[in-house]
Every structure is written in structure tokens, then in C-alpha cells.
Amino acid sequence: MPASSRPLPLYTAGAGAVPATQVFETGDVDNDILISLVEARPVLWDKFLETFKDRNLTRDARREICCALKNGFDDLENNEKNAFGK
């Protein structure tokens, strides 16, 4: 499934589940949400997977996380994307 058509991961806390992008309007990144987003993408951390070595898949997984954490991430300039991703 292409990254753009995948549903955003949900963050559950308190009253219920909300898309992760709704949590980060202030620009602060919650460590628990970031960890859950990374855990949902084994291509980033499971070195025993063949796909772990695929730079395109790992780049796409990182981009998915950034899109989930920041509304409009794809619309940012490259230098802004790099600064956010650090």
C-alpha cells in the first residue's frame, strides 16, 4: 500500500484514540508516541529483516513518521524537513 494511502497511526490516551497528527499541533514531540510510531515500522529497527537494508523503505518509513508527527510535513522546504527530522 502506498504511504500516502495508509491510515495514520492512532495514539490512545485518556478519552480515546486520536490520529497522531492531532497531538502535535504545538510542535512538541511526545516520546511515547514517537516510540510507538517507530515500533510499528520494524524496517527501522529489526536488523534481521531483509528490508532493514533497503534504504528506500527505511526512508519512506521515516517520512511516514514525520508526516504523522507534523501536519503539512510534505509541504515543507527540504531544509525545514531536515530540521524537523533531527
Side-chain angles (χ1 to χ4, degrees):
M1 179 183 300
S4 60
S5 63
R6 290 186 190 142
L8 289 174
L10 296 178
Y11 173 66
T12 55
V18 295
T21 53
Q22 293 180 6
V23 178
F24 295 106
E25 297 301 325
T26 63
D28 296 330
V29 175
D30 183 294
N31 290 335
D32 292 333
I33 295 173
L34 178 58
I35 290 169
S36 67
L37 291 170
V38 172
E39 284 178 342
R41 292 161 179 82
V43 70
L44 296 175
W45 55 266
D46 190 346
K47 65 182 180 179
F48 297 108
L49 293 177
E50 260 318 294
T51 56
F52 180 78
K53 300 174 187 176
D54 188 328
R55 289 184 180 189
N56 292 324
L57 291 177
T58 56
R59 182 196 60 228
D60 291 345
R62 282 192 228 93
R63 188 187 71 63
E64 288 173 2
I65 290 171
C66 289
C67 288
L69 295 176
K70 181 162 182 66
N71 285 327
F73 178 79
D74 284 332
D75 299 329
L76 297 175
E77 298 292 326
N78 284 336
N79 62 339
E80 294 173 308
K81 288 179 183 179
N82 290 336
F84 180 78
K86 287 186 177 182

